[in-house]
Amino acid sequence: QLQLVESGGGLVQPGGSLRLSCAASGYRLDDYAIGWFRQAPGKEREGVSCINSSDESTYYRESVVGRFTISRDNAKNTVYLQIHSLEPEDTAVYYCAARFSGAIILTVQEMCNTPLAFPHWGQGTQVTVSS
């Protein structure tokens, strides 16, 4: 059974930085596309950044382009989300999710806009940006 555990969240001032980690166990992530999603209170869950398993292509939500970077370390079976220049609007619970590469073919943008396409989810880590 694939399990995902997020870490690295916390309380940060505007303009600060964080690195979120998503550690996997049970299966190697080499054959899984990974997505980072976030959900603020009273709002829908939205895709932040996703990375494909086959060609390592990536997608970023427009509001995070240039500030967020997604990466994989296959040796550690871990996916990261490096965040810079945090804004109060980034405050949310951040989740990582995985989908097997043999599932229905979707572009990295399509999968990042479709949370239900991801069957495996972590429990989330809270990111709070406040002065």
Side-chain angles (χ1 to χ4, degrees):
Q1 182 180 0
L2 177 63
Q3 293 183 318
L4 305 171
V5 179
E6 303 95 334
S7 62
L11 175 61
V12 184
Q13 293 183 338
S17 299
L18 285 172
R19 186 174 71 166
L20 308 184
S21 299
C22 176
S25 62
Y27 292 91
R28 295 193 60 83
L29 291 179
D30 303 56
D31 293 325
Y32 289 82
I34 305 297
W36 282 99
F37 297 80
R38 66 187 182 186
Q39 187 166 24
K43 297 184 178 180
E44 71 279 4
R45 187 169 299 187
E46 62 184 21
V48 178
S49 180
C50 297
I51 184 168
N52 195 283
S53 64
S54 59
D55 59 4
E56 301 292 338
S57 61
T58 59
Y59 170 81
Y60 296 92
R61 187 178 189 88
E62 183 176 358
S63 62
V64 309
V65 171
R67 301 189 297 118
F68 289 29
T69 302
I70 190 171
S71 62
R72 311 175 68 134
D73 188 334
N74 290 333
K76 296 182 179 179
N77 220 29
T78 300
V79 178
Y80 302 97
L81 186 67
Q82 183 70 54
I83 309 175
H84 298 289
S85 302
L86 278 160
E87 305 168 352
E89 293 74 20
D90 297 318
T91 296
V93 177
Y94 283 70
Y95 301 88
C96 70
R99 69 187 302 267
F100 186 58
S101 62
I104 298 174
I105 296 176
L106 297 172
T107 68
V108 66
Q109 179 176 357
E110 288 172 335
M111 68 177 72
C112 226
N113 290 327
T114 312
L116 292 177
F118 289 81
H120 308 285
W121 290 82
Q123 294 300 306
T125 184
Q126 176 72 50
V127 173
T128 302
V129 184
S130 177
S131 60

